[in-house]
Amino acid sequence: MNANRIIDMIVRQVVRRLVSKGVDKGFDMASRMSRKPDSLDRPASPEVEREMQQKSQRTKHNMKQAQRMSRQMRRFMKF
């Protein structure tokens, strides 16, 4: 490979990362603008808070399971 192809490859990777970060930031800003301001200030009811805690606990459990699975897969995938 010549130097021109290597430089071109690096530039493409950098531009791809910058564009994807810009698109993500744009979507985040658009989602923040579309929210209703009064819904952010209002405290959640106890039922809603309980449901949110249960969801976060389930998410943590699922993340732990995924980590275990990836550790086990790593053991068997030796190149």
Side-chain angles (χ1 to χ4, degrees):
M1 286 178 38
N2 59 12
N4 192 23
R5 285 181 78 184
I6 293 172
I7 292 171
D8 193 35
M9 198 167 48
I10 292 171
V11 168
R12 248 187 269 127
Q13 286 180 351
V14 169
V15 168
R16 186 182 320 130
R17 288 181 186 172
L18 289 173
V19 168
S20 65
K21 283 185 182 184
V23 169
D24 290 341
K25 290 282 187 181
F27 274 109
D28 290 342
M29 286 183 65
S31 68
R32 273 191 241 127
M33 291 177 72
S34 65
R35 289 184 194 158
K36 296 179 183 174
D38 62 341
S39 65
L40 297 176
D41 297 334
R42 193 173 353 142
S45 66
E47 295 88 22
V48 173
E49 287 182 12
R50 196 174 313 118
E51 288 177 17
M52 289 172 56
Q53 286 177 348
Q54 289 174 349
K55 285 182 183 178
S56 68
Q57 288 174 353
R58 274 187 254 135
T59 304
K60 287 179 188 176
H61 181 71
N62 290 342
M63 294 278 285
K64 286 181 183 178
Q65 283 182 335
Q67 286 176 344
R68 283 189 208 122
M69 294 263 304
S70 65
R71 256 188 253 128
Q72 290 173 353
M73 288 173 62
R74 256 188 271 148
R75 288 183 196 147
F76 295 111
M77 295 178 65
K78 297 196 177 184
F79 296 102

